[in-house]
Amino acid sequence: MHLNTRMSRRLTLATSVGLSLALVTGCSSDNKDSAPSETTTTTASAPTEQASATPRLAVSYDGGILVLNATSLDVVGETKIDGFTRLNPAGDGRHVMISSGEAFKVLDTGTWSSAHGDHSHYYTADPAMSEVEFAANEPGHVVRHAGKTVLFNDGSGLVEIFDPAQLAKRQPRVETYTTPEPHHGVAVALADGSLLTTIGNSESRNGIAILDADRKEILRNEQCPGVHGEAVAAGEAIVLGCQDGLLVYKNGAITKVQSPDAYGRIGNQAGSEESDIVLGDYKTDKDAELERPQRVSLTNTTTSELKLVDLGTSYTFRSLGRGPHGEALVLGTDGAIHVVDPNTGVVTKKIAVIDAWTEPTKWQEPRPALFVEDHTAYVTDPTSKKLIAVDLEDGSILTETTLDHAPNELTGVTG
């Protein structure tokens, strides 16, 4: 059934899906205070007030998710969960969305801020699974933009849009839209209330459509075979990859940027509000079971120029990131973070972090991952079970830790 735009609430107890939580001691302080009355915490312990925000990381492994202090890399909590999981920050600086089984689940990492006039109060507590859950027979992409979080259900085409700030109160009001046909897609909520969605079905995907605030289609482009992935650049330019280039939606118009090769697939991108240039992967072997590309793409969303940069090393879809100044970052299989000037395409620095590695055959298998928060890059190494924090300004190793499990996906929250 095609659902028109409407408001709904979805609350499901995490215990109903058989999740168990094993908690490790959380951050502590001698100065304890209750959380503000307007916030309903879902954590497993009473909140503790902190002097400043406490960023945390979430790391998935086969059998669960670890939550760590992003500064010390100490483990502060562990959630047991079966099956392969995908991790994405929910957009509120506190919660993490978990794509698992037949739902988007919500992990409360136990760190948050509360604004009080001209200042804020900061709190931590033990991480815990939230009671909020969004049913989805094939949970797919999670996108955060313009103060909204958008979930895309590949199995039904259901798009769910909500304000992530409501997750702490466990009552997110959800606006829904269903694409004409289900497909492996993505949707982005824009600042003016409009919605960008991919076009496709179970057999193929070929473009994007723009819907106004009433969800009436106002624009479309079907010149994007195999449309996949999304990124947001400066000026709210939305970029989506194609098998022969990209589509850029900006200022009410859709522009096709053509790859220099007949088959030049860009399927994963990393954008920055500090730059009008989007970093993307770049593959040219249409028949390859596993292509290990050594070039990345840089696409200028203002001039529509697409530039290719040869790194001299391969990388994977978990290798792309952006630095605090808009610099393009790529974690290569040579074990180094390659820092690329997005304007010139010049590799300005290589930061050695881990040993050389080889991309595994199956995309679900653990491989090193890159996550960037502010001026720090975090890198995982499944072989050694290490998690390493790198200062992007001087290239030094800030700290590292050895985990009890081989890490797979990696994300974080600001607190």
Side-chain angles (χ1 to χ4, degrees), residues 44-256:
S45 65
T48 298
E49 187 163 5
Q50 305 292 343
S52 60
T54 306
R56 285 180 171 178
L57 303 172
V59 180
S60 70
Y61 64 89
D62 185 9
I65 300 169
L66 299 171
V67 179
L68 299 90
N69 180 296
T71 303
S72 66
L73 300 188
D74 293 335
V75 175
V76 297
E78 181 175 2
T79 295
K80 300 295 185 181
I81 184 170
D82 294 330
F84 177 70
T85 58
R86 306 298 310 275
L87 305 180
N88 287 280
D92 63 345
R94 172 176 177 173
H95 294 86
V96 169
M97 304 300 302
I98 304 171
S99 302
S100 174
E102 295 190 347
F104 291 97
K105 301 177 176 67
V106 181
L107 171 65
D108 186 344
T109 65
T111 181
W112 67 95
S113 304
S114 179
H116 279 189
D118 62 351
H119 67 283
S120 295
H121 289 258
Y122 308 99
Y123 300 91
T124 59
D126 290 339
M129 289 302 299
S130 169
E131 295 179 350
V132 178
E133 184 176 295
F134 302 82
N137 57 332
E138 292 183 33
H141 283 255
V142 178
V143 177
R144 304 157 307 283
H145 179 63
K148 298 292 184 181
T149 298
V150 182
L151 312 178
F152 197 100
N153 182 354
D154 292 349
S156 67
L158 177 65
V159 176
E160 297 182 279
I161 309 163
F162 62 90
D163 179 356
Q166 296 179 355
L167 286 172
K169 302 176 182 179
R170 296 183 290 181
Q171 297 178 349
R173 292 177 296 174
V174 180
E175 178 191 352
T176 66
Y177 170 80
T178 302
T179 59
E181 296 181 87
H183 61 280
H184 177 53
V186 67
V188 184
L190 304 178
D192 64 359
S194 58
L195 183 70
L196 180 154
T197 69
T198 48
I199 300 169
N201 54 42
S202 59
E203 301 298 324
S204 65
R205 309 181 302 276
N206 62 357
I208 62 173
I210 310 299
L211 314 175
D212 66 16
D214 296 322
R215 301 304 175 244
K216 294 180 181 178
E217 185 176 311
I218 56 176
L219 190 64
R220 73 162 42 204
N221 182 299
E222 297 183 46
Q223 301 174 14
C224 189
V227 59
H228 186 271
E230 90 297 324
V232 182
E236 201 178 39
I238 315 297
V239 179
L240 296 99
C242 317
Q243 292 176 352
D244 58 358
L246 308 103
L247 291 182
V248 179
Y249 176 66
K250 184 177 182 180
N251 297 329
I254 301 174
T255 302
K256 175 62 183 280

Side-chain angles (χ1 to χ4, degrees), residues 391-415:
D391 188 327
L392 288 172
E393 299 300 334
D394 62 16
S396 64
I397 303 298
L398 295 172
T399 187
E400 62 180 80
T401 189
T402 300
L403 306 171
D404 290 336
H405 310 277
N408 197 337
E409 294 222 338
L410 168 68
T411 192
V413 296
T414 60

Side-chain angles (χ1 to χ4, degrees), residues 358-404:
T358 301
E359 178 182 3
T361 303
K362 296 181 179 180
W363 71 269
Q364 296 96 336
E365 292 183 73
R367 81 277 314 279
L370 171 70
F371 173 75
V372 181
E373 185 60 61
D374 198 17
H375 295 262
T376 304
Y378 298 92
V379 174
T380 59
D381 183 0
T383 301
S384 64
K385 298 182 181 179
K386 286 188 178 297
L387 172 62
I388 303 162
V390 181
D391 188 327
L392 288 172
E393 299 300 334
D394 62 16
S396 64
I397 303 298
L398 295 172
T399 187
E400 62 180 80
T401 189
T402 300
L403 306 171
D404 290 336

Side-chain angles (χ1 to χ4, degrees), residues 273-305:
E273 297 285 346
E274 304 296 323
S275 174
D276 57 2
I277 297 174
V278 168
L279 168 67
D281 57 0
Y282 193 75
K283 296 182 177 181
T284 58
D285 190 346
K286 185 177 182 179
D287 300 320
E289 181 178 352
L290 176 62
E291 182 177 352
R292 294 186 170 97
Q294 296 196 5
R295 291 184 295 174
V296 294
S297 59
L298 295 170
T299 304
N300 190 310
T301 58
T302 299
T303 66
S304 298
E305 177 189 8

